[in-house]
Amino acid sequence: MKRTAALLLLPLAGALGAAVPAADPAGATITVTVTELRNAKGIVRACMTNDADSFPRCRGVAGAFGTTAQAREGSLSFTFHDVPPGRYAIALLHDENANGKADRALGMMPREGFGFSRDAKVRMGPPKFSDAAVDIGAKDRQLTIRMRYML
């Protein structure tokens, strides 16, 4: 009986300004360091998704995380906050001309840099989700992804 009364009073305590225990954070903080950037032109675009069918794209995908950072030669870092536990893959694009897309030569060969979590290999197209996927738990995590250039 006392437990029921306490549960009923908890919202009232919050409304009155009494101390209410803080809610647990929504998820982990994932810090990604991008290495081997060839120049400081444009921006670096990153997306992290748990949707295997949409990978490596995640624009407009529910539950996907996206961010951008001003490019700089060498390396840079960015952070995804409140990532729920699950299996995710990250795709990077060094959008050197900041036009919002991956430019290609002859319709196939990437002109700009790219990278994937787990340094997943690129063969005749982007890697499969399973090749780039990492398991994210409740603890914060740091990942490193090497930027690659073909031209």
Side-chain angles (χ1 to χ4, degrees):
M1 185 73 168
K2 288 182 182 178
R3 180 182 162 119
T4 304
L7 289 175
L8 291 173
L9 292 175
L10 189 57
L12 181 59
L16 296 175
V20 177
D24 289 338
T29 297
I30 310 303
T31 303
V32 178
T33 300
V34 182
T35 63
E36 300 185 34
L37 287 155
R38 70 179 171 192
N39 60 50
K41 295 178 183 175
I43 58 176
V44 175
R45 298 180 183 281
C47 74
M48 181 169 70
T49 184
N50 61 2
D51 184 344
D53 294 332
S54 69
F55 182 77
R57 295 188 166 100
C58 55
R59 189 177 289 168
V61 174
F65 295 82
T67 191
T68 60
Q70 179 63 45
R72 65 174 176 225
E73 189 172 347
S75 67
L76 62 83
S77 294
F78 54 86
T79 305
F80 296 110
H81 297 281
D82 300 324
V83 178
R87 193 160 176 82
Y88 294 86
I90 300 171
L92 303 175
L93 170 66
H94 181 185
D95 188 0
E96 292 176 288
N97 60 3
N99 68 351
K101 63 181 185 176
D103 295 324
R104 301 186 180 281
L106 302 173
M108 295 178 64
M109 184 79 67
R111 287 184 186 268
E112 299 172 305
F114 57 89
F116 300 98
S117 45
R118 292 186 52 205
D119 240 357
K121 302 292 180 234
V122 174
R123 291 183 173 79
M124 295 304 285
K128 292 187 253 178
F129 177 87
S130 59
D131 292 336
V134 293
D135 292 318
I136 302 297
K139 292 185 179 180
D140 295 349
R141 185 141 181 215
Q142 294 185 359
L143 302 170
T144 300
I145 301 175
R146 179 174 54 103
M147 190 65 72
R148 297 186 210 160
Y149 300 88
M150 297 186 90
L151 296 176

